[in-house]
Every structure is written in structure tokens, then in C-alpha cells.
Amino acid sequence: PLRAQTARGASVLHGGGVTPDLSRVRLFIFDADGTLRWTTVPGQKYPLAAHEWRLMPGVARKLNSIPWAEHGPWLAIASNQN
């Protein structure tokens, strides 16, 4: 599920099926592996180099649909990998 926090602190949870109102979301934080990208090396759980991953289907289209601006919303990528 996608969890987002609005500018006023309200939590928005998207578990699929219903598109949440993202107009009030100020910051999007995504885990990189398995959410935004796939590893292209068979058997490897996460990429170790820039050439070892690709975006998952639909990610570029969805990210390009968000009206990014200097005052938000912003994008952050999180990972617990090396």
C-alpha cells in the first residue's frame, strides 16, 4: 500500500482500487527496491551498480503525472540496502 501524509498531517492510505486525492500531499517517500525499480541481475535482491536495475512498469508515467514544484510536492527515495 501507498501511505502519504498531507500538508496538514492527515495520513492517506492507498491499498489499490481507489485513487486517493494526492493534491494535498507534500512529500512522497518510496522504498526503491521492489516499489520503483527491479534488479536486472538474476538472484540478486538489490542492485549494486547503476546498470543493474530498471524502473518497474508504470513508474515513470505515474511520477511524470505528479505536478512537481519548488514548494512541493517533493520526492524522496529510501533504501536499507548498501
Side-chain angles (χ1 to χ4, degrees):
L2 166 69
R3 181 176 297 277
Q5 190 165 354
T6 67
R8 297 192 184 271
S11 183
V12 177
L13 180 63
H14 174 60
V18 176
T19 303
D21 177 12
L22 301 178
S23 64
R24 294 176 34 197
V25 176
R26 303 272 315 266
L27 175 65
F28 292 87
I29 304 173
F30 293 98
D31 178 56
D33 301 306
T35 304
L36 298 177
R37 67 182 182 186
W38 279 330
T39 302
T40 58
V41 179
Q44 193 168 292
K45 293 184 180 184
Y46 55 89
L48 299 174
H51 67 277
E52 295 181 349
W53 65 273
R54 64 183 168 104
L55 285 178
M56 295 177 76
V59 168
R61 179 179 42 81
K62 181 54 82 176
L63 291 178
N64 283 327
S65 73
I66 298 171
W68 305 109
E70 181 179 346
H71 298 290
W74 302 286
L75 174 67
I77 308 296
S79 180
N80 62 347
Q81 311 304 333
N82 294 331

mmCIF file with all atom_site columns, all heavy atoms in Angstrom, residues 33-52:
data_model
loop_
_atom_site.group_PDB
_atom_site.id
_atom_site.type_symbol
_atom_site.label_atom_id
_atom_site.label_alt_id
_atom_site.label_comp_id
_atom_site.label_asym_id
_atom_site.label_entity_id
_atom_site.label_seq_id
_atom_site.pdbx_PDB_ins_code
_atom_site.Cartn_x
_atom_site.Cartn_y
_atom_site.Cartn_z
_atom_site.occupancy
_atom_site.B_iso_or_equiv
_atom_site.pdbx_formal_charge
_atom_site.auth_seq_id
_atom_site.auth_comp_id
_atom_site.auth_asym_id
_atom_site.auth_atom_id
_atom_site.pdbx_PDB_model_num
ATOM 1   N N   . ASP A 1 33 ? 13.664 -0.474  -3.894  1.00 0.00 ? 33 ASP A N   1
ATOM 2   C CA  . ASP A 1 33 ? 13.691 -1.846  -4.390  1.00 0.00 ? 33 ASP A CA  1
ATOM 3   C C   . ASP A 1 33 ? 12.352 -2.546  -4.229  1.00 0.00 ? 33 ASP A C   1
ATOM 4   O O   . ASP A 1 33 ? 11.810 -2.647  -3.138  1.00 0.00 ? 33 ASP A O   1
ATOM 5   C CB  . ASP A 1 33 ? 14.797 -2.630  -3.688  1.00 0.00 ? 33 ASP A CB  1
ATOM 6   C CG  . ASP A 1 33 ? 16.151 -1.983  -3.906  1.00 0.00 ? 33 ASP A CG  1
ATOM 7   O OD1 . ASP A 1 33 ? 16.499 -1.764  -5.075  1.00 0.00 ? 33 ASP A OD1 1
ATOM 8   O OD2 . ASP A 1 33 ? 16.831 -1.665  -2.917  1.00 0.00 ? 33 ASP A OD2 1
ATOM 9   N N   . GLY A 1 34 ? 11.815 -2.996  -5.366  1.00 0.00 ? 34 GLY A N   1
ATOM 10  C CA  . GLY A 1 34 ? 10.545 -3.693  -5.367  1.00 0.00 ? 34 GLY A CA  1
ATOM 11  C C   . GLY A 1 34 ? 9.341  -2.770  -5.394  1.00 0.00 ? 34 GLY A C   1
ATOM 12  O O   . GLY A 1 34 ? 8.205  -3.233  -5.444  1.00 0.00 ? 34 GLY A O   1
ATOM 13  N N   . THR A 1 35 ? 9.573  -1.480  -5.365  1.00 0.00 ? 35 THR A N   1
ATOM 14  C CA  . THR A 1 35 ? 8.494  -0.499  -5.423  1.00 0.00 ? 35 THR A CA  1
ATOM 15  C C   . THR A 1 35 ? 8.642  0.384   -6.657  1.00 0.00 ? 35 THR A C   1
ATOM 16  O O   . THR A 1 35 ? 7.695  0.583   -7.395  1.00 0.00 ? 35 THR A O   1
ATOM 17  C CB  . THR A 1 35 ? 8.498  0.393   -4.169  1.00 0.00 ? 35 THR A CB  1
ATOM 18  O OG1 . THR A 1 35 ? 8.402  -0.450  -3.027  1.00 0.00 ? 35 THR A OG1 1
ATOM 19  C CG2 . THR A 1 35 ? 7.356  1.368   -4.174  1.00 0.00 ? 35 THR A CG2 1
ATOM 20  N N   . LEU A 1 36 ? 9.844  0.907   -6.856  1.00 0.00 ? 36 LEU A N   1
ATOM 21  C CA  . LEU A 1 36 ? 10.121 1.754   -8.013  1.00 0.00 ? 36 LEU A CA  1
ATOM 22  C C   . LEU A 1 36 ? 10.964 1.043   -9.066  1.00 0.00 ? 36 LEU A C   1
ATOM 23  O O   . LEU A 1 36 ? 10.844 1.333   -10.245 1.00 0.00 ? 36 LEU A O   1
ATOM 24  C CB  . LEU A 1 36 ? 10.873 3.019   -7.581  1.00 0.00 ? 36 LEU A CB  1
ATOM 25  C CG  . LEU A 1 36 ? 10.152 3.956   -6.625  1.00 0.00 ? 36 LEU A CG  1
ATOM 26  C CD1 . LEU A 1 36 ? 11.060 5.112   -6.258  1.00 0.00 ? 36 LEU A CD1 1
ATOM 27  C CD2 . LEU A 1 36 ? 8.860  4.454   -7.234  1.00 0.00 ? 36 LEU A CD2 1
ATOM 28  N N   . ARG A 1 37 ? 11.820 0.138   -8.623  1.00 0.00 ? 37 ARG A N   1
ATOM 29  C CA  . ARG A 1 37 ? 12.753 -0.489  -9.576  1.00 0.00 ? 37 ARG A CA  1
ATOM 30  C C   . ARG A 1 37 ? 12.896 -1.975  -9.305  1.00 0.00 ? 37 ARG A C   1
ATOM 31  O O   . ARG A 1 37 ? 12.615 -2.467  -8.222  1.00 0.00 ? 37 ARG A O   1
ATOM 32  C CB  . ARG A 1 37 ? 14.123 0.175   -9.488  1.00 0.00 ? 37 ARG A CB  1
ATOM 33  C CG  . ARG A 1 37 ? 14.811 -0.075  -8.153  1.00 0.00 ? 37 ARG A CG  1
ATOM 34  C CD  . ARG A 1 37 ? 16.130 0.626   -8.073  1.00 0.00 ? 37 ARG A CD  1
ATOM 35  N NE  . ARG A 1 37 ? 16.778 0.335   -6.795  1.00 0.00 ? 37 ARG A NE  1
ATOM 36  C CZ  . ARG A 1 37 ? 17.894 0.897   -6.393  1.00 0.00 ? 37 ARG A CZ  1
ATOM 37  N NH1 . ARG A 1 37 ? 18.485 1.775   -7.168  1.00 0.00 ? 37 ARG A NH1 1
ATOM 38  N NH2 . ARG A 1 37 ? 18.416 0.586   -5.234  1.00 0.00 ? 37 ARG A NH2 1
ATOM 39  N N   . TRP A 1 38 ? 13.329 -2.669  -10.357 1.00 0.00 ? 38 TRP A N   1
ATOM 40  C CA  . TRP A 1 38 ? 13.667 -4.089  -10.293 1.00 0.00 ? 38 TRP A CA  1
ATOM 41  C C   . TRP A 1 38 ? 15.159 -4.249  -10.522 1.00 0.00 ? 38 TRP A C   1
ATOM 42  O O   . TRP A 1 38 ? 15.773 -3.489  -11.263 1.00 0.00 ? 38 TRP A O   1
ATOM 43  C CB  . TRP A 1 38 ? 12.977 -4.861  -11.405 1.00 0.00 ? 38 TRP A CB  1
ATOM 44  C CG  . TRP A 1 38 ? 11.557 -5.211  -11.144 1.00 0.00 ? 38 TRP A CG  1
ATOM 45  C CD1 . TRP A 1 38 ? 10.966 -5.461  -9.937  1.00 0.00 ? 38 TRP A CD1 1
ATOM 46  C CD2 . TRP A 1 38 ? 10.547 -5.375  -12.116 1.00 0.00 ? 38 TRP A CD2 1
ATOM 47  N NE1 . TRP A 1 38 ? 9.651  -5.764  -10.101 1.00 0.00 ? 38 TRP A NE1 1
ATOM 48  C CE2 . TRP A 1 38 ? 9.370  -5.720  -11.447 1.00 0.00 ? 38 TRP A CE2 1
ATOM 49  C CE3 . TRP A 1 38 ? 10.512 -5.264  -13.495 1.00 0.00 ? 38 TRP A CE3 1
ATOM 50  C CZ2 . TRP A 1 38 ? 8.177  -5.969  -12.099 1.00 0.00 ? 38 TRP A CZ2 1
ATOM 51  C CZ3 . TRP A 1 38 ? 9.323  -5.512  -14.141 1.00 0.00 ? 38 TRP A CZ3 1
ATOM 52  C CH2 . TRP A 1 38 ? 8.185  -5.853  -13.441 1.00 0.00 ? 38 TRP A CH2 1
ATOM 53  N N   . THR A 1 39 ? 15.708 -5.252  -9.908  1.00 0.00 ? 39 THR A N   1
ATOM 54  C CA  . THR A 1 39 ? 17.101 -5.608  -10.160 1.00 0.00 ? 39 THR A CA  1
ATOM 55  C C   . THR A 1 39 ? 17.155 -6.456  -11.423 1.00 0.00 ? 39 THR A C   1
ATOM 56  O O   . THR A 1 39 ? 16.331 -7.354  -11.606 1.00 0.00 ? 39 THR A O   1
ATOM 57  C CB  . THR A 1 39 ? 17.675 -6.398  -8.968  1.00 0.00 ? 39 THR A CB  1
ATOM 58  O OG1 . THR A 1 39 ? 17.553 -5.584  -7.802  1.00 0.00 ? 39 THR A OG1 1
ATOM 59  C CG2 . THR A 1 39 ? 19.130 -6.744  -9.179  1.00 0.00 ? 39 THR A CG2 1
ATOM 60  N N   . THR A 1 40 ? 18.112 -6.191  -12.286 1.00 0.00 ? 40 THR A N   1
ATOM 61  C CA  . THR A 1 40 ? 18.220 -6.929  -13.551 1.00 0.00 ? 40 THR A CA  1
ATOM 62  C C   . THR A 1 40 ? 19.169 -8.114  -13.453 1.00 0.00 ? 40 THR A C   1
ATOM 63  O O   . THR A 1 40 ? 19.313 -8.855  -14.417 1.00 0.00 ? 40 THR A O   1
ATOM 64  C CB  . THR A 1 40 ? 18.696 -5.994  -14.683 1.00 0.00 ? 40 THR A CB  1
ATOM 65  O OG1 . THR A 1 40 ? 19.961 -5.423  -14.318 1.00 0.00 ? 40 THR A OG1 1
ATOM 66  C CG2 . THR A 1 40 ? 17.688 -4.889  -14.934 1.00 0.00 ? 40 THR A CG2 1
ATOM 67  N N   . VAL A 1 41 ? 19.814 -8.317  -12.314 1.00 0.00 ? 41 VAL A N   1
ATOM 68  C CA  . VAL A 1 41 ? 20.752 -9.427  -12.132 1.00 0.00 ? 41 VAL A CA  1
ATOM 69  C C   . VAL A 1 41 ? 19.997 -10.593 -11.487 1.00 0.00 ? 41 VAL A C   1
ATOM 70  O O   . VAL A 1 41 ? 19.518 -10.472 -10.360 1.00 0.00 ? 41 VAL A O   1
ATOM 71  C CB  . VAL A 1 41 ? 21.943 -9.006  -11.249 1.00 0.00 ? 41 VAL A CB  1
ATOM 72  C CG1 . VAL A 1 41 ? 22.905 -10.169 -11.055 1.00 0.00 ? 41 VAL A CG1 1
ATOM 73  C CG2 . VAL A 1 41 ? 22.658 -7.808  -11.856 1.00 0.00 ? 41 VAL A CG2 1
ATOM 74  N N   . PRO A 1 42 ? 19.862 -11.715 -12.189 1.00 0.00 ? 42 PRO A N   1
ATOM 75  C CA  . PRO A 1 42 ? 19.133 -12.861 -11.637 1.00 0.00 ? 42 PRO A CA  1
ATOM 76  C C   . PRO A 1 42 ? 19.698 -13.298 -10.280 1.00 0.00 ? 42 PRO A C   1
ATOM 77  O O   . PRO A 1 42 ? 20.906 -13.389 -10.096 1.00 0.00 ? 42 PRO A O   1
ATOM 78  C CB  . PRO A 1 42 ? 19.327 -13.951 -12.689 1.00 0.00 ? 42 PRO A CB  1
ATOM 79  C CG  . PRO A 1 42 ? 19.606 -13.210 -13.959 1.00 0.00 ? 42 PRO A CG  1
ATOM 80  C CD  . PRO A 1 42 ? 20.369 -11.988 -13.537 1.00 0.00 ? 42 PRO A CD  1
ATOM 81  N N   . GLY A 1 43 ? 18.790 -13.514 -9.316  1.00 0.00 ? 43 GLY A N   1
ATOM 82  C CA  . GLY A 1 43 ? 19.188 -13.977 -7.996  1.00 0.00 ? 43 GLY A CA  1
ATOM 83  C C   . GLY A 1 43 ? 19.673 -12.901 -7.046  1.00 0.00 ? 43 GLY A C   1
ATOM 84  O O   . GLY A 1 43 ? 19.879 -13.156 -5.863  1.00 0.00 ? 43 GLY A O   1
ATOM 85  N N   . GLN A 1 44 ? 19.847 -11.696 -7.543  1.00 0.00 ? 44 GLN A N   1
ATOM 86  C CA  . GLN A 1 44 ? 20.322 -10.587 -6.710  1.00 0.00 ? 44 GLN A CA  1
ATOM 87  C C   . GLN A 1 44 ? 19.115 -9.815  -6.192  1.00 0.00 ? 44 GLN A C   1
ATOM 88  O O   . GLN A 1 44 ? 18.218 -9.479  -6.952  1.00 0.00 ? 44 GLN A O   1
ATOM 89  C CB  . GLN A 1 44 ? 21.225 -9.682  -7.556  1.00 0.00 ? 44 GLN A CB  1
ATOM 90  C CG  . GLN A 1 44 ? 22.022 -8.678  -6.765  1.00 0.00 ? 44 GLN A CG  1
ATOM 91  C CD  . GLN A 1 44 ? 23.086 -8.036  -7.628  1.00 0.00 ? 44 GLN A CD  1
ATOM 92  O OE1 . GLN A 1 44 ? 24.033 -8.697  -8.035  1.00 0.00 ? 44 GLN A OE1 1
ATOM 93  N NE2 . GLN A 1 44 ? 22.913 -6.766  -7.930  1.00 0.00 ? 44 GLN A NE2 1
ATOM 94  N N   . LYS A 1 45 ? 19.068 -9.536  -4.898  1.00 0.00 ? 45 LYS A N   1
ATOM 95  C CA  . LYS A 1 45 ? 17.908 -8.885  -4.296  1.00 0.00 ? 45 LYS A CA  1
ATOM 96  C C   . LYS A 1 45 ? 17.852 -7.378  -4.538  1.00 0.00 ? 45 LYS A C   1
ATOM 97  O O   . LYS A 1 45 ? 16.791 -6.781  -4.505  1.00 0.00 ? 45 LYS A O   1
ATOM 98  C CB  . LYS A 1 45 ? 17.858 -9.163  -2.796  1.00 0.00 ? 45 LYS A CB  1
ATOM 99  C CG  . LYS A 1 45 ? 17.596 -10.612 -2.493  1.00 0.00 ? 45 LYS A CG  1
ATOM 100 C CD  . LYS A 1 45 ? 17.464 -10.841 -1.021  1.00 0.00 ? 45 LYS A CD  1
ATOM 101 C CE  . LYS A 1 45 ? 17.190 -12.316 -0.780  1.00 0.00 ? 45 LYS A CE  1
ATOM 102 N NZ  . LYS A 1 45 ? 16.947 -12.600 0.617   1.00 0.00 ? 45 LYS A NZ  1
ATOM 103 N N   . TYR A 1 46 ? 18.989 -6.770  -4.730  1.00 0.00 ? 46 TYR A N   1
ATOM 104 C CA  . TYR A 1 46 ? 19.034 -5.333  -4.976  1.00 0.00 ? 46 TYR A CA  1
ATOM 105 C C   . TYR A 1 46 ? 20.253 -5.020  -5.837  1.00 0.00 ? 46 TYR A C   1
ATOM 106 O O   . TYR A 1 46 ? 21.231 -5.771  -5.846  1.00 0.00 ? 46 TYR A O   1
ATOM 107 C CB  . TYR A 1 46 ? 19.069 -4.528  -3.676  1.00 0.00 ? 46 TYR A CB  1
ATOM 108 C CG  . TYR A 1 46 ? 20.188 -4.911  -2.726  1.00 0.00 ? 46 TYR A CG  1
ATOM 109 C CD1 . TYR A 1 46 ? 21.424 -4.297  -2.810  1.00 0.00 ? 46 TYR A CD1 1
ATOM 110 C CD2 . TYR A 1 46 ? 20.004 -5.891  -1.763  1.00 0.00 ? 46 TYR A CD2 1
ATOM 111 C CE1 . TYR A 1 46 ? 22.452 -4.636  -1.959  1.00 0.00 ? 46 TYR A CE1 1
ATOM 112 C CE2 . TYR A 1 46 ? 21.019 -6.248  -0.903  1.00 0.00 ? 46 TYR A CE2 1
ATOM 113 C CZ  . TYR A 1 46 ? 22.247 -5.616  -1.009  1.00 0.00 ? 46 TYR A CZ  1
ATOM 114 O OH  . TYR A 1 46 ? 23.263 -5.964  -0.156  1.00 0.00 ? 46 TYR A OH  1
ATOM 115 N N   . PRO A 1 47 ? 20.213 -3.911  -6.598  1.00 0.00 ? 47 PRO A N   1
ATOM 116 C CA  . PRO A 1 47 ? 21.332 -3.579  -7.476  1.00 0.00 ? 47 PRO A CA  1
ATOM 117 C C   . PRO A 1 47 ? 22.551 -3.089  -6.698  1.00 0.00 ? 47 PRO A C   1
ATOM 118 O O   . PRO A 1 47 ? 22.418 -2.436  -5.668  1.00 0.00 ? 47 PRO A O   1
ATOM 119 C CB  . PRO A 1 47 ? 20.767 -2.472  -8.365  1.00 0.00 ? 47 PRO A CB  1
ATOM 120 C CG  . PRO A 1 47 ? 19.667 -1.879  -7.570  1.00 0.00 ? 47 PRO A CG  1
ATOM 121 C CD  . PRO A 1 47 ? 19.115 -2.968  -6.718  1.00 0.00 ? 47 PRO A CD  1
ATOM 122 N N   . LEU A 1 48 ? 23.711 -3.432  -7.219  1.00 0.00 ? 48 LEU A N   1
ATOM 123 C CA  . LEU A 1 48 ? 24.970 -2.984  -6.633  1.00 0.00 ? 48 LEU A CA  1
ATOM 124 C C   . LEU A 1 48 ? 25.648 -1.917  -7.498  1.00 0.00 ? 48 LEU A C   1
ATOM 125 O O   . LEU A 1 48 ? 26.635 -1.328  -7.090  1.00 0.00 ? 48 LEU A O   1
ATOM 126 C CB  . LEU A 1 48 ? 25.910 -4.174  -6.438  1.00 0.00 ? 48 LEU A CB  1
ATOM 127 C CG  . LEU A 1 48 ? 25.381 -5.262  -5.490  1.00 0.00 ? 48 LEU A CG  1
ATOM 128 C CD1 . LEU A 1 48 ? 26.316 -6.463  -5.489  1.00 0.00 ? 48 LEU A CD1 1
ATOM 129 C CD2 . LEU A 1 48 ? 25.194 -4.717  -4.089  1.00 0.00 ? 48 LEU A CD2 1
ATOM 130 N N   . ALA A 1 49 ? 25.098 -1.696  -8.689  1.00 0.00 ? 49 ALA A N   1
ATOM 131 C CA  . ALA A 1 49 ? 25.647 -0.707  -9.616  1.00 0.00 ? 49 ALA A CA  1
ATOM 132 C C   . ALA A 1 49 ? 24.494 -0.087  -10.408 1.00 0.00 ? 49 ALA A C   1
ATOM 133 O O   . ALA A 1 49 ? 23.407 -0.673  -10.512 1.00 0.00 ? 49 ALA A O   1
ATOM 134 C CB  . ALA A 1 49 ? 26.656 -1.356  -10.566 1.00 0.00 ? 49 ALA A CB  1
ATOM 135 N N   . ALA A 1 50 ? 24.736 1.083   -10.963 1.00 0.00 ? 50 ALA A N   1
ATOM 136 C CA  . ALA A 1 50 ? 23.689 1.819   -11.679 1.00 0.00 ? 50 ALA A CA  1
ATOM 137 C C   . ALA A 1 50 ? 23.113 1.042   -12.854 1.00 0.00 ? 50 ALA A C   1
ATOM 138 O O   . ALA A 1 50 ? 21.939 1.189   -13.179 1.00 0.00 ? 50 ALA A O   1
ATOM 139 C CB  . ALA A 1 50 ? 24.237 3.159   -12.155 1.00 0.00 ? 50 ALA A CB  1
ATOM 140 N N   . HIS A 1 51 ? 23.907 0.197   -13.494 1.00 0.00 ? 51 HIS A N   1
ATOM 141 C CA  . HIS A 1 51 ? 23.426 -0.539  -14.669 1.00 0.00 ? 51 HIS A CA  1
ATOM 142 C C   . HIS A 1 51 ? 22.676 -1.825  -14.298 1.00 0.00 ? 51 HIS A C   1
ATOM 143 O O   . HIS A 1 51 ? 22.247 -2.558  -15.177 1.00 0.00 ? 51 HIS A O   1
ATOM 144 C CB  . HIS A 1 51 ? 24.590 -0.857  -15.600 1.00 0.00 ? 51 HIS A CB  1
ATOM 145 C CG  . HIS A 1 51 ? 25.573 -1.831  -15.017 1.00 0.00 ? 51 HIS A CG  1
ATOM 146 N ND1 . HIS A 1 51 ? 26.578 -1.413  -14.158 1.00 0.00 ? 51 HIS A ND1 1
ATOM 147 C CD2 . HIS A 1 51 ? 25.688 -3.169  -15.137 1.00 0.00 ? 51 HIS A CD2 1
ATOM 148 C CE1 . HIS A 1 51 ? 27.278 -2.476  -13.788 1.00 0.00 ? 51 HIS A CE1 1
ATOM 149 N NE2 . HIS A 1 51 ? 26.756 -3.554  -14.359 1.00 0.00 ? 51 HIS A NE2 1
ATOM 150 N N   . GLU A 1 52 ? 22.466 -2.101  -13.020 1.00 0.00 ? 52 GLU A N   1
ATOM 151 C CA  . GLU A 1 52 ? 21.849 -3.352  -12.588 1.00 0.00 ? 52 GLU A CA  1
ATOM 152 C C   . GLU A 1 52 ? 20.371 -3.211  -12.194 1.00 0.00 ? 52 GLU A C   1
ATOM 153 O O   . GLU A 1 52 ? 19.829 -4.062  -11.514 1.00 0.00 ? 52 GLU A O   1
ATOM 154 C CB  . GLU A 1 52 ? 22.625 -3.936  -11.403 1.00 0.00 ? 52 GLU A CB  1
ATOM 155 C CG  . GLU A 1 52 ? 24.026 -4.346  -11.752 1.00 0.00 ? 52 GLU A CG  1
ATOM 156 C CD  . GLU A 1 52 ? 24.781 -4.939  -10.579 1.00 0.00 ? 52 GLU A CD  1
ATOM 157 O OE1 . GLU A 1 52 ? 24.306 -4.860  -9.421  1.00 0.00 ? 52 GLU A OE1 1
ATOM 158 O OE2 . GLU A 1 52 ? 25.866 -5.489  -10.825 1.00 0.00 ? 52 GLU A OE2 1
#
